Amino acid sequence: MNKIITSIIKWLTVPALLALVVLTQLNFDRVRASQWRKSTVTYNQIIEPIVPNKDMLKISALGNNNFMADLLWLNTIQYYGGGDPYGKYQALPKLMSSILSLDNKFSYPYQFSGIVLSGEGFSDQALQILKDGEVALPNNWEIPYYEGTIYYINKKDYAQSAAAYKRASEKPGAPSKTKFLSAVEFDRSNDYQTALAIFEGLAESSDTQYFKDRAKLFVDHYTILQGLTNMIKDYKNKFGHYPKDLNELVQKHYLTEIPKDPLNRDILYDSNTGAVTSPVGKN
């Protein structure tokens, strides 16, 4: 019986010791920073942790992957919280990737990647982590939401942003803002048909009055553009050419006046093609 107890204690001690080794490695440079500092490098470069490779971490965990992931997460927070705001946190992407290799259903690293990692200049790495997160946590609406925000703010890729927000809006428990943002981004990327369909749905059934009211403005906006387009087509069929400007629609009694856009956008007209457009203004 004593031999069995002794074996159990030894088995439990091994992962604890290995975890201690990993922690010691991660904190080594931080301790060193308190004793030595170079004026030619940033503080972050001095305290930069050396992250063991993923295979070594898994071996060291001896099956206690969640426990090891938690330890790495705590050290990551300490590393980021104790650094130099003017330095670069070069180890952050690798730390996030290592944590998630141990526990890919750990939600906090995805949130951290979506907000902090992208904010520190690692947008591509953050997007890759979040894409993996969509597979690991398929019902989590926040992960594609963060993707949409990165594509919008960091990448200026409005089509990708719209698609990501739309995926977020389709997840269980997603708030109304995800659907609204997806429609706004489809509008920004000139996919008016998709935007209109989403805005029409929000105007009818959104559970948030603000989004319902704003969606109605967008629907009215598209209604004006489509109405002008139809009038211009009819004008060309009747007179054999496009009107030289929108005022001719008033002169020919299609309109009593040029309508004011509910979104306060300028309405642009191309007399060569008959196209009516409205650049993104105040949304």
Side-chain angles (χ1 to χ4, degrees), residues 46-58:
I46 298 173
I47 67 169
E48 207 74 54
I50 300 173
V51 186
N53 68 55
K54 296 175 184 178
D55 291 336
M56 182 61 68
L57 282 172
K58 289 179 180 178

PDB file of all heavy atoms in Angstrom, residues 46-58:
ATOM      1  N   ILE A  46      14.786  43.018 -23.229  1.00  0.00           N
ATOM      2  CA  ILE A  46      15.552  42.420 -22.139  1.00  0.00           C
ATOM      3  C   ILE A  46      14.737  41.338 -21.432  1.00  0.00           C
ATOM      4  O   ILE A  46      15.249  40.282 -21.091  1.00  0.00           O
ATOM      5  CB  ILE A  46      15.985  43.506 -21.128  1.00  0.00           C
ATOM      6  CG1 ILE A  46      16.895  44.523 -21.818  1.00  0.00           C
ATOM      7  CG2 ILE A  46      16.706  42.886 -19.944  1.00  0.00           C
ATOM      8  CD1 ILE A  46      17.241  45.706 -20.965  1.00  0.00           C
ATOM      9  N   ILE A  47      13.440  41.605 -21.236  1.00  0.00           N
ATOM     10  CA  ILE A  47      12.621  40.656 -20.482  1.00  0.00           C
ATOM     11  C   ILE A  47      11.964  39.613 -21.373  1.00  0.00           C
ATOM     12  O   ILE A  47      11.180  38.817 -20.906  1.00  0.00           O
ATOM     13  CB  ILE A  47      11.523  41.382 -19.682  1.00  0.00           C
ATOM     14  CG1 ILE A  47      10.494  42.017 -20.630  1.00  0.00           C
ATOM     15  CG2 ILE A  47      12.099  42.410 -18.746  1.00  0.00           C
ATOM     16  CD1 ILE A  47       9.259  42.519 -19.924  1.00  0.00           C
ATOM     17  N   GLU A  48      12.285  39.613 -22.667  1.00  0.00           N
ATOM     18  CA  GLU A  48      11.630  38.710 -23.610  1.00  0.00           C
ATOM     19  C   GLU A  48      11.731  37.256 -23.152  1.00  0.00           C
ATOM     20  O   GLU A  48      12.830  36.722 -22.981  1.00  0.00           O
ATOM     21  CB  GLU A  48      12.288  38.852 -24.976  1.00  0.00           C
ATOM     22  CG  GLU A  48      11.387  38.513 -26.141  1.00  0.00           C
ATOM     23  CD  GLU A  48      10.363  39.603 -26.376  1.00  0.00           C
ATOM     24  OE1 GLU A  48      10.735  40.760 -26.532  1.00  0.00           O
ATOM     25  OE2 GLU A  48       9.174  39.251 -26.389  1.00  0.00           O
ATOM     26  N   PRO A  49      10.603  36.584 -22.920  1.00  0.00           N
ATOM     27  CA  PRO A  49      10.665  35.180 -22.494  1.00  0.00           C
ATOM     28  C   PRO A  49      11.034  34.267 -23.652  1.00  0.00           C
ATOM     29  O   PRO A  49      10.724  34.548 -24.803  1.00  0.00           O
ATOM     30  CB  PRO A  49       9.240  34.899 -22.009  1.00  0.00           C
ATOM     31  CG  PRO A  49       8.394  35.846 -22.790  1.00  0.00           C
ATOM     32  CD  PRO A  49       9.224  37.075 -22.986  1.00  0.00           C
ATOM     33  N   ILE A  50      11.693  33.185 -23.332  1.00  0.00           N
ATOM     34  CA  ILE A  50      12.013  32.165 -24.321  1.00  0.00           C
ATOM     35  C   ILE A  50      10.953  31.082 -24.195  1.00  0.00           C
ATOM     36  O   ILE A  50      10.874  30.386 -23.173  1.00  0.00           O
ATOM     37  CB  ILE A  50      13.419  31.579 -24.084  1.00  0.00           C
ATOM     38  CG1 ILE A  50      14.465  32.696 -24.188  1.00  0.00           C
ATOM     39  CG2 ILE A  50      13.712  30.461 -25.082  1.00  0.00           C
ATOM     40  CD1 ILE A  50      15.866  32.257 -23.811  1.00  0.00           C
ATOM     41  N   VAL A  51      10.114  30.952 -25.219  1.00  0.00           N
ATOM     42  CA  VAL A  51       8.985  30.031 -25.149  1.00  0.00           C
ATOM     43  C   VAL A  51       9.401  28.674 -25.708  1.00  0.00           C
ATOM     44  O   VAL A  51       9.828  28.585 -26.863  1.00  0.00           O
ATOM     45  CB  VAL A  51       7.783  30.570 -25.951  1.00  0.00           C
ATOM     46  CG1 VAL A  51       6.567  29.676 -25.744  1.00  0.00           C
ATOM     47  CG2 VAL A  51       7.480  32.005 -25.538  1.00  0.00           C
ATOM     48  N   PRO A  52       9.268  27.607 -24.920  1.00  0.00           N
ATOM     49  CA  PRO A  52       9.592  26.268 -25.438  1.00  0.00           C
ATOM     50  C   PRO A  52       8.701  25.926 -26.627  1.00  0.00           C
ATOM     51  O   PRO A  52       7.575  26.420 -26.726  1.00  0.00           O
ATOM     52  CB  PRO A  52       9.289  25.349 -24.242  1.00  0.00           C
ATOM     53  CG  PRO A  52       9.311  26.243 -23.044  1.00  0.00           C
ATOM     54  CD  PRO A  52       8.835  27.570 -23.513  1.00  0.00           C
ATOM     55  N   ASN A  53       9.206  25.085 -27.538  1.00  0.00           N
ATOM     56  CA  ASN A  53       8.373  24.726 -28.687  1.00  0.00           C
ATOM     57  C   ASN A  53       7.176  23.886 -28.244  1.00  0.00           C
ATOM     58  O   ASN A  53       7.152  23.330 -27.149  1.00  0.00           O
ATOM     59  CB  ASN A  53       9.199  24.015 -29.765  1.00  0.00           C
ATOM     60  CG  ASN A  53       9.691  22.642 -29.326  1.00  0.00           C
ATOM     61  OD1 ASN A  53       8.912  21.794 -28.920  1.00  0.00           O
ATOM     62  ND2 ASN A  53      10.994  22.432 -29.423  1.00  0.00           N
ATOM     63  N   LYS A  54       6.192  23.810 -29.123  1.00  0.00           N
ATOM     64  CA  LYS A  54       4.913  23.196 -28.763  1.00  0.00           C
ATOM     65  C   LYS A  54       5.062  21.722 -28.396  1.00  0.00           C
ATOM     66  O   LYS A  54       4.422  21.238 -27.455  1.00  0.00           O
ATOM     67  CB  LYS A  54       3.926  23.374 -29.911  1.00  0.00           C
ATOM     68  CG  LYS A  54       3.592  24.827 -30.193  1.00  0.00           C
ATOM     69  CD  LYS A  54       2.707  24.961 -31.422  1.00  0.00           C
ATOM     70  CE  LYS A  54       2.449  26.421 -31.748  1.00  0.00           C
ATOM     71  NZ  LYS A  54       1.617  26.584 -32.965  1.00  0.00           N
ATOM     72  N   ASP A  55       5.894  21.005 -29.132  1.00  0.00           N
ATOM     73  CA  ASP A  55       6.078  19.585 -28.842  1.00  0.00           C
ATOM     74  C   ASP A  55       6.674  19.386 -27.451  1.00  0.00           C
ATOM     75  O   ASP A  55       6.252  18.501 -26.696  1.00  0.00           O
ATOM     76  CB  ASP A  55       6.972  18.933 -29.900  1.00  0.00           C
ATOM     77  CG  ASP A  55       6.288  18.856 -31.255  1.00  0.00           C
ATOM     78  OD1 ASP A  55       5.034  18.857 -31.288  1.00  0.00           O
ATOM     79  OD2 ASP A  55       6.994  18.805 -32.278  1.00  0.00           O
ATOM     80  N   MET A  56       7.643  20.230 -27.103  1.00  0.00           N
ATOM     81  CA  MET A  56       8.271  20.118 -25.790  1.00  0.00           C
ATOM     82  C   MET A  56       7.277  20.437 -24.683  1.00  0.00           C
ATOM     83  O   MET A  56       7.261  19.790 -23.623  1.00  0.00           O
ATOM     84  CB  MET A  56       9.473  21.064 -25.703  1.00  0.00           C
ATOM     85  CG  MET A  56      10.219  20.989 -24.377  1.00  0.00           C
ATOM     86  SD  MET A  56      10.889  19.342 -24.065  1.00  0.00           S
ATOM     87  CE  MET A  56      12.141  19.260 -25.353  1.00  0.00           C
ATOM     88  N   LEU A  57       6.430  21.434 -24.924  1.00  0.00           N
ATOM     89  CA  LEU A  57       5.420  21.780 -23.928  1.00  0.00           C
ATOM     90  C   LEU A  57       4.470  20.622 -23.674  1.00  0.00           C
ATOM     91  O   LEU A  57       4.120  20.316 -22.534  1.00  0.00           O
ATOM     92  CB  LEU A  57       4.624  23.005 -24.385  1.00  0.00           C
ATOM     93  CG  LEU A  57       5.300  24.371 -24.221  1.00  0.00           C
ATOM     94  CD1 LEU A  57       4.471  25.447 -24.883  1.00  0.00           C
ATOM     95  CD2 LEU A  57       5.495  24.688 -22.742  1.00  0.00           C
ATOM     96  N   LYS A  58       4.037  19.972 -24.754  1.00  0.00           N
ATOM     97  CA  LYS A  58       3.096  18.858 -24.607  1.00  0.00           C
ATOM     98  C   LYS A  58       3.744  17.680 -23.871  1.00  0.00           C
ATOM     99  O   LYS A  58       3.109  17.020 -23.043  1.00  0.00           O
ATOM    100  CB  LYS A  58       2.589  18.425 -25.979  1.00  0.00           C
ATOM    101  CG  LYS A  58       1.649  19.437 -26.618  1.00  0.00           C
ATOM    102  CD  LYS A  58       1.173  18.980 -27.988  1.00  0.00           C
ATOM    103  CE  LYS A  58       0.245  20.014 -28.605  1.00  0.00           C
ATOM    104  NZ  LYS A  58      -0.209  19.617 -29.958  1.00  0.00           N
TER     105      LYS A  58
END
